[in-house]
Amino acid sequence: MTTNTSYAEVIGDPIAQSKSPLIHKFWLEKLAIEADYRAYHVTPADLPDYIAQRLADPDWRGCNVTLPHKIDIMDLVADPGGVREKIGAMNTIVRQADGSLMGTNTDAAGFLAPIADTDWSKKHAVVIGAGGAARAVLFALKQAGIGEITIVARNGLKATGLLMQASAKGGVLPMDARLPEADLLINASPLGMTGKAPLEIDLAPLPADALVYDLVYAPLKTDLLRAAKQRDLAVVDGLDMLIGQAALAFELFFGATPPMEHDDQLRKLLIA
């Protein structure tokens, strides 16, 4: 067993719902790496101080970033990969060998992993939300060659800007609009999350072969997924993306490949 005392974290406001510590601790234990991964509550006002404090701690490997910090964090770290221009949000901050901090985004690859085998080039996706998670989803869909994207959001101007940034064909609808007939519906908003407002949406316009993908994982069985299953639609829950993006971050933090052969055991732990 190694003897380092390094650690990484996940930060957000709120943060109690995060399952990231369970995932990373599970992998650390399986690999016999003596390190830690913690959840740490950081308010928007405290974000600059948090980064400054962790920058001074050589044992801190970095952090995952969740709501509401994925956009503001970009002003506090280096961006060598051009994440600001390509995606517009960061979810992973990593201490580099020289002690400086680099930001990246593992959400996009994590989101795409469960649906990467499908040819999306002639298909229509509807994305609910216009925040940091939606930015990563739009980037991933564009990389997958999606044919058309409709964004459903409260802020139409913001959503239009995201669509333009992604250089994607599509349009914008308000939250109370009837869904278009689409092949893929993605909830990239916090609606339906524990402690947040419910996502009220009618799935009737979706065809029988549509896929419904909810990024929310607390609760895991969201009302959106229940409604989709009542219609016998295919579904992907938030754990798939969560584990996928965590695997990429784990390697950046701890320099080791997660033991993915234990995924079934990990998933049982996460839904217990």
Side-chain angles (χ1 to χ4, degrees):
M1 179 176 291
T2 59
T3 57
N4 63 59
T5 57
S6 61
Y7 68 100
E9 295 174 306
V10 58
I11 63 170
D13 180 27
I15 199 58
Q17 81 286 351
S18 177
K19 294 184 181 292
S20 292
L22 283 174
I23 297 172
H24 287 266
K25 286 175 182 288
F26 176 85
W27 288 334
L28 288 169
E29 181 179 349
K30 289 294 183 183
L31 296 175
I33 296 175
E34 189 176 325
D36 197 10
Y37 186 99
R38 314 161 183 170
Y40 196 83
H41 181 214
V42 178
T43 67
D46 291 337
L47 185 61
D49 286 343
Y50 167 82
I51 290 297
Q53 290 168 7
R54 292 301 188 267
L55 184 60
D57 183 353
D59 291 330
W60 183 76
R61 295 288 188 92
C63 66
N64 287 119
V65 182
T66 188
L67 293 170
H69 304 313
K70 293 185 179 186
I71 296 174
D72 290 344
I73 197 74
M74 293 190 295
D75 294 331
L76 303 173
V77 299
D79 181 18
V83 174
R84 181 187 291 271
E85 290 74 24
K86 294 176 182 176
I87 300 179
M90 290 176 176
N91 81 313
T92 305
I93 309 303
V94 183
R95 179 189 293 280
Q96 301 188 90
D98 63 0
S100 64
L101 303 184
M102 173 200 74
T104 187
N105 192 305
T106 64
D107 276 341
F111 161 77
L112 196 56
I115 60 172
D117 292 339
T118 300
D119 179 6
W120 297 104
S121 60
K122 296 180 180 179
K123 298 185 183 296
H124 181 187
V126 174
V127 179
I128 301 171
R135 292 171 183 266
V137 167
L138 260 64
F139 176 80
L141 290 174
K142 185 65 176 178
Q143 293 295 105
I146 193 73
E148 182 180 358
I149 300 174
T150 298
I151 302 178
V152 178
R154 290 194 181 97
N155 190 326
L157 187 61
K158 183 178 180 182
T160 300
L162 295 187
L163 202 61
M164 293 176 63
Q165 183 181 22
S167 300
K169 175 186 176 183
V172 173
L173 293 174
M175 292 297 298
D176 58 355
R178 179 179 171 85
L179 282 178
E181 186 175 336
D183 306 285
L184 174 62
L185 173 67
I186 305 134
N187 178 28
S189 79
L191 295 176
M193 182 186 296
T194 302
K196 300 291 185 179
L199 175 59
E200 298 177 353
I201 194 165
D202 181 9
L203 302 183
L206 297 182
D209 60 351
L211 172 65
V212 177
Y213 194 150
D214 198 341
L215 273 55
V216 170
Y217 59 83
L220 184 61
K221 296 180 180 179
T222 63
D223 289 343
L224 174 62
L225 295 185
R226 287 193 183 95
K229 288 182 177 180
Q230 285 177 357
R231 284 204 49 209
D232 292 325
L233 300 178
V235 300
V236 177
D237 64 45
L239 283 191
D240 287 308
M241 176 175 171
L242 181 67
I243 294 172
Q245 65 82 23
L248 298 170
F250 184 89
E251 194 159 353
L252 291 172
F253 295 147
F254 302 110
T257 301
M260 305 305 284
E261 65 271 19
H262 299 294
D263 265 11
D264 288 345
Q265 183 181 350
L266 174 58
R267 192 174 179 94
K268 288 178 182 177
L269 174 68
L270 293 171
I271 63 178

